[in-house]
Amino acid sequence: MTDFIPQVLMCNGANATGTCHYEVYSMRDCHDMPDGFSENTKTFAPDGDAFYCWPKVGHCDDICTSPTGCTFGAVSFYNPVKWDLSTIQWDGLIQSFECALNETGSA
C-alpha cells in the first residue's frame, strides 16, 4: 500500500459548499494550495482513512520558524474539523499541506 495516493477535497465554503477542488496528491511532498484556496479554505477533507494531512501556514518554499511546525496538527478522514476550518480559525491561514500514509505499529 506504499503507492497509495491521497485525494483531498477543498472548498471555499464549509461542509463542501462554494467553489471546490478535488485532486490526488503525492505523499510526503509539500503542496501549495491551488489558486483561489490559499488563505480561503473552509473545507479541507482527506478522502479516505489510509492517510492524513497537515495543513500549514506558509507556502512550501517558505521557511517555518514556529516551534509547532506551522500547523495545528494532522487532519484525518475522521476529524470533524475537516468540514469547517473556521471553527479553529484556520480557514484564512492554510497556504500549503503535506500528507502521509496512516501507519500503525504492531505490538
Side-chain angles (χ1 to χ4, degrees), residues 2-19:
T2 57
D3 57 353
F4 178 83
I5 298 177
Q7 299 176 8
V8 178
L9 171 68
M10 50 193 80
C11 302
N12 296 136
N15 300 309
T17 61
T19 301

Side-chain angles (χ1 to χ4, degrees), residues 28-48:
R28 300 248 179 237
D29 293 320
C30 184
H31 303 279
D32 283 323
M33 295 295 284
D35 290 342
F37 292 90
S38 183
E39 299 177 323
N40 186 25
T41 298
K42 285 187 171 51
T43 300
F44 181 81
D47 188 10

